[in-house]
């Protein structure tokens, strides 16, 4: 897993600017709560799961010289807090290779994180405001 810090800043309404190292993405909610300027936080979670799955399958197939031409992943929430992940494998793969790749699809780091008990610690952080009481006003 990445060790970069992810920071989130406020925008208009519920829009949020998410900074991950040198990358920025916008998270938002659809109208009327937000302005729909980006995916929802839940959709970003699904994107993390889908992209991690695709990367893991591709890396495994390449490392084992499997004839995988394409891997497609579609992820969605369904009732009861469940997630369905559809994985499509294209290529001249035999049954054993397909089975191995589907096993890898269920073991990517994000999948493993989401399927085990996770502990999250919320730490209140005070943002320091500069002390301007001793600063002299600018004169022109």
């Amino acid at each position: 897993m990445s060790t970069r810090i992810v920071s989130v800043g406020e925008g208009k309404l519920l829009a949020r600017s998410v900074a991950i190292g040198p990358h920025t993405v916008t998270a938002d909610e659809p109208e009327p709560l937000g302005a729909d300027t980006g995916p929802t936080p839940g959709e970003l979670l699904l994107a993390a799961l889908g992209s991690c799955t695709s990367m893991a399958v591709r890396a495994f197939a390449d490392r084992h010289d499997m004839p995988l031409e394409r891997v497609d992943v579609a992820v969605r929430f369904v009732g009861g807090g469940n997630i369905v992940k559809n994985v499509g494998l294209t290529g001249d793969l035999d049954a054993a290779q397909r089975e191995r790749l589907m096993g890898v699809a269920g073991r990517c780091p994000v999948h493993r994180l989401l399927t085990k008990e996770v502990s999250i610690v919320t730490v209140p952080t005070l943002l320091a405001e500069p002390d301007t009481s001793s600063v002299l006003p600018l004169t022109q």
Side-chain angles (χ1 to χ4, degrees), residues 5-76:
I5 293 177
V6 175
S7 60
V8 180
E10 286 195 275
K12 290 184 179 183
L13 299 174
L14 293 180
R16 297 296 178 261
S17 176
V18 181
I20 308 158
H23 310 288
T24 304
V25 66
T26 299
D28 202 355
E29 290 288 337
E31 294 178 343
L33 297 175
D36 204 13
T37 59
T40 68
E43 291 165 341
L44 290 171
L45 177 70
L46 294 177
L49 176 59
S51 59
C52 183
T53 299
S54 178
M55 289 176 187
V57 169
R58 168 56 61 197
F60 187 89
D62 289 353
R63 191 169 48 251
H64 295 281
D65 295 320
M66 292 182 178
L68 177 66
E69 293 173 16
R70 182 181 173 106
V71 56
D72 294 298
V73 181
V75 190
R76 69 187 183 284

Side-chain angles (χ1 to χ4, degrees), residues 1 48-61 63-64 66 73 85 87 96-116:
M1 289 297 236
L49 176 59
S51 59
C52 183
T53 299
S54 178
M55 289 176 187
V57 169
R58 168 56 61 197
F60 187 89
R63 191 169 48 251
H64 295 281
M66 292 182 178
V73 181
K85 179 170 64 169
V87 179
Q97 290 170 323
R98 286 184 182 280
E99 187 175 334
R100 286 181 73 192
L101 291 174
M102 290 304 290
V104 170
R107 292 190 311 270
C108 78
V110 173
H111 187 119
R112 288 188 312 217
L113 180 67
L114 291 173
T115 57
K116 72 175 190 176

Side-chain angles (χ1 to χ4, degrees), residues 111-135:
H111 187 119
R112 288 188 312 217
L113 180 67
L114 291 173
T115 57
K116 72 175 190 176
E117 188 172 324
V118 176
S119 175
I120 298 173
V121 178
T122 302
V123 179
T125 304
L126 300 174
L127 299 178
E129 293 292 326
D131 179 11
T132 59
S133 62
S134 62
V135 176

